[in-house]
Amino acid sequence: MSEPTFATLVSRWYEENARDLPWRKPGASPWAILVSEVMLQQTPVVRVLPAYEAWLARWPVPAALAADTPAEAIRMWGRLGYPRRALRLRECATAIVERHGGEVPDRLDHLLALPGVGTYTARAVAAFAYGQRHPVVDTNVRRVVCRAVAGEPDAGPATRPADLLATEALLPAEPAAAALASAAFMELGAVVCTARSPRCDQCPVESTCAWRASGQTAPAGPTRRPQRYAGTDRQVRGLLLGVLRESTGPVPRPRLDQVWTDGAQRTRALAGLVQDGLVEPVGDDSYRLVGDGPALPLPDLTR
């Protein structure tokens, strides 16, 4: 009898040890899985869970979100960070309604054509929502494959075509088994084969791991320097958005000025929010979340 494959071992481990997350439940819709994948980008699971549940309670299908305003999407996004994701998700919902009758498409090329859906998200939805065979490669998966196969302590800072090929080579031929393996690889990297403190004694492929056999240790420092938040424009943007989210109408500029003492930085952050399409000016000196109220009059281009 042949030895179990890498994918088989990790999949068995996953079926016994996977975290109980709502987007993994058998009844999770393709829309719910798409929402989870967008929310989980650069955001920990513990922060995503309440936002995910509230989002789907309000907008259980793409058509419900497409019918609501961009401002409400930004409000519901709350403090997850990178709020442009809320706008992209609403644009995505609108495209799903217009192009696919309100159903999340199952073809990879159609998923890739949706606004704000990149290579990772499209493959993740195709695999996890529709049980298709695609290499789903995030930071965790790259680390697992790099260590177990290549024998290196860590992967590079960005996904390369070689990472997709290396991961695909590990997937079973049968689509449903491949989709399960993709989820298993990701979970293994998230909870066992972690960047700094891997729990190798709990790993289902410890005995065949090339990195473990090499005797190398995990890098002492981060592969990428964490982004500073305190005092940055990102913090100021978050404070400004916080005021605007809590308001039911336009907010005068003097009220926004109270959130940060550095006037130049505050002005720069506010201008960035306007440029990113998250905030719009109202009248001479007030601001609101984009689309939060009656449409603004079009400028008279004849004058």
Side-chain angles (χ1 to χ4, degrees):
M1 180 180 294
S2 60
E3 293 293 321
T5 66
F6 181 90
T8 297
L9 291 171
V10 180
S11 295
R12 288 175 181 170
W13 168 86
Y14 175 81
E15 290 180 312
E16 295 180 1
N17 298 280
R19 291 169 293 176
D20 182 18
L21 300 174
W23 46 84
R24 291 176 175 169
K25 295 186 181 300
S29 69
W31 170 243
I33 291 171
L34 174 58
V35 170
S36 74
E37 290 298 340
V38 173
M39 286 188 169
L40 286 164
Q41 294 168 11
Q42 305 181 71
T43 308
V45 167
V46 67
R47 291 184 58 202
V48 166
L49 281 170
Y52 166 86
E53 292 168 351
W55 189 280
L56 288 178
R58 179 165 181 173
W59 300 306
V61 294
L65 176 56
D68 216 329
T69 65
E72 287 307 302
I74 297 170
R75 281 198 177 93
M76 285 295 290
W77 197 258
R79 299 187 179 277
L80 279 183
Y82 304 98
R84 277 181 290 179
R85 289 182 292 171
L87 294 182
R88 299 294 86 79
L89 197 47
R90 182 181 174 275
E91 291 170 6
C92 186
T94 301
I96 289 171
V97 171
E98 293 174 348
R99 303 174 195 173
H100 305 287
E103 299 293 331
V104 176
D106 59 359
R107 282 177 44 177
L108 184 61
D109 58 340
H110 288 172
L111 288 165
L112 286 167
L114 293 174
V117 173
T119 298
Y120 166 78
T121 303
R123 293 175 185 273
V125 172
F128 304 147
Y130 294 111
Q132 297 177 12
R133 186 183 189 275
H134 297 289
V136 183
V137 181
D138 69 351
T139 300
N140 292 315
V141 174
R142 286 193 295 112
R143 185 187 315 113
V144 166
V145 175
C146 184
R147 286 177 175 173
V149 178
E152 298 295 332
D154 224 333
T159 300
R160 305 163 299 169
D163 297 319
L164 294 172
L165 293 173
T167 303
E168 185 172 19
L170 297 173
L171 296 178
E174 201 275 318
L180 175 64
S182 290
F185 295 168
M186 194 173 297
E187 184 77 344
L188 186 67
V191 302
V192 172
C193 191
T194 57
R196 299 294 155 253
S197 302
R199 299 199 292 270
C200 295
D201 59 325
Q202 300 178 28
C203 180
V205 291
E206 179 189 12
S207 63
T208 60
C209 177
W211 175 61
R212 184 71 165 164
S214 73
Q216 298 181 71
T217 58
T223 54
R224 287 185 291 180
R225 180 175 298 177
Q227 291 184 340
R228 183 172 61 91
Y229 181 74
T232 64
D233 285 4
R234 278 185 59 215
Q235 182 183 14
V236 183
R237 284 163 59 103
L239 293 171
L240 292 168
L241 274 181
V243 173
L244 292 165
R245 277 197 307 268
E246 294 168 4
S247 172
T248 57
V251 177
R253 178 64 181 267
R255 183 177 167 195
L256 293 174
D257 288 346
Q258 296 174 16
V259 306
W260 198 254
T261 56
D262 186 330
Q265 188 177 23
R266 191 177 59 241
T267 297
R268 184 171 64 247
L270 183 59
L273 291 172
V274 173
Q275 184 176 4
D276 289 345
L278 294 163
V279 172
E280 59 189 4
V282 182
D284 293 333
D285 206 27
S286 294
Y287 294 84
R288 70 186 185 193
L289 296 179
V290 63
D292 193 19
L296 295 175
L298 294 174
D300 184 355
L301 301 179
T302 62
R303 291 191 291 176

